[in-house]
Amino acid sequence: MAANELNTHAFLQSSPRGICKNILLLLGGFETKTGEQWLAFRNDGKYSAADYAKITSNQISRTRSLGEKSLGPSEQNQTIKSRRHFVVKILQGAMSGLAYMHNHDRLHQSLGPASVVLNTIIESDATYLVPRVRDLAFSVDISFSNLEEDPGRLSEGLWRRAVAAGAVTPMEKRAFGIADDIYEAGLLFAYLAFVPFCEAGTMDSLSLQRLLESTFQLDVMATRE
C-alpha cells in the first residue's frame, strides 16, 4: 500500500501539466531497518474535513446547551452563511483534486472526509482555504494499457464489482471505476451537507449512507425533500 501510494504521488507530481494544488504534496519516502515504509508530505494542515465537521457540530451542541437565545437571528444567519461558503470551498477543492486524478488515469478509491486535508478550519478564513486530497494508498491505474494486464491485488475487488455490473471491456471497466469514485464523492458531499450543520452525534457518514441507499433507494430528489 505504501509503495502504491508512493508511485501514485510520484506519477501525478511528474505530470507535464503541473502539480495540482488540491492534492497533498509528497516530499519523499524512506524504509527503516525493520522494513517499514514511511512517506513524508508537506505540512499543509493538520485537520481533515472530518475534523472540521466534528468541531463545528460540537460547537453547535455547546451553543444550544447555553440556550437558543445565545445567538440572535442575524448572527445565526451569518454563521450558517459562512459555514455554507466554507463547505462549498472544501467540496470544490476535493472535486478538483479528484478530477485531476481521473484526468491522469488514476482512481482514488477511498475518498471520504478524513481524506481531505485543510490548511485552516476557521470559517472566516475561507478565502485562504486550500483543501488537498490525500490517502492514495488504494489508488488504481486505469490507463488502458494497465487495464489489459494483471490488475493487482489492491484493485481485485473493484474489478469483480465491475464485471458483476456488466463491465467487460477496458472502456467499460474504466467508466465503472470513475463512476465508483464519483459515488464516493457524492457520499462526501452528503456528509458535508449535513454533519457540520447538525448537533454532535445527530448524523454520521454510515447513517447517511444507509439513508441514501436503503431508505431512499438512491433517489436524490426524495432525499432532498
Side-chain angles (χ1 to χ4, degrees):
M1 289 171 62
N4 187 53
E5 187 163 18
L6 175 63
N7 291 334
T8 301
H9 276 285
F11 173 79
L12 293 174
Q13 290 177 199
S14 65
S15 170
R17 302 178 195 176
I19 295 174
C20 177
K21 71 175 184 178
N22 296 115
I23 296 179
L24 198 62
L25 186 68
L26 176 71
L27 299 179
F30 61 92
E31 185 173 320
T32 66
K33 293 180 180 179
T34 57
E36 293 180 329
Q37 291 182 320
W38 290 76
L39 302 181
F41 296 91
R42 190 173 70 185
N43 183 10
D44 285 315
K46 64 178 182 178
Y47 295 107
S48 68
D51 296 324
Y52 163 73
K54 181 179 179 180
I55 290 169
T56 53
S57 62
N58 285 336
Q59 288 174 344
I60 292 172
S61 295
R62 284 196 299 269
T63 299
R64 292 188 175 176
S65 69
L66 297 174
E68 293 293 336
K69 294 183 180 180
S70 57
L71 287 177
S74 61
E75 292 174 303
Q76 288 181 359
N77 290 337
Q78 184 57 43
T79 297
I80 293 297
K81 185 177 179 180
S82 298
R83 186 154 301 161
R84 183 173 58 196
H85 177 60
F86 196 85
V87 165
V88 168
K89 286 209 66 175
I90 294 175
L91 288 168
Q92 287 174 334
M95 297 306 110
S96 177
L98 185 63
Y100 184 91
M101 291 186 67
H102 291 172
N103 288 336
H104 288 75
D105 296 328
R106 292 296 184 276
L107 300 179
H108 189 285
Q109 284 298 286
S110 60
L111 186 65
S115 304
V116 182
V117 177
L118 311 178
N119 61 331
T120 179
I121 57 171
I122 301 173
E123 291 167 347
S124 58
D125 290 342
T127 303
Y128 310 105
L129 173 63
V130 182
R132 292 177 172 89
V133 173
R134 66 176 178 184
D135 299 337
L136 307 188
F138 292 98
S139 179
V140 176
D141 181 352
I142 54 170
S143 60
F144 287 111
S145 59
N146 189 69
L147 289 172
E148 293 171 351
E149 299 174 357
D150 181 12
R153 288 183 299 172
L154 290 177
S155 58
E156 284 179 350
L158 170 66
W159 301 133
R160 276 199 300 269
R161 288 189 288 113
V163 171
V168 179
T169 67
M171 179 72 78
E172 292 170 340
K173 289 181 177 180
R174 175 187 168 87
F176 180 91
I178 292 174
D180 196 58
D181 255 10
I182 293 173
Y183 185 87
E184 289 184 339
L187 294 176
L188 172 63
F189 181 98
Y191 178 90
L192 289 173
F194 281 93
V195 178
F197 302 91
C198 298
E199 289 190 62
T202 305
M203 187 61 70
D204 58 69
S205 56
L206 288 177
S207 298
L208 270 172
Q209 187 169 352
R210 281 196 295 268
L211 278 172
L212 288 164
E213 294 177 347
S214 301
T215 304
F216 295 108
Q217 298 292 305
L218 300 179
D219 186 334
V220 177
M221 295 310 296
T223 307
R224 185 177 185 181
E225 182 68 23

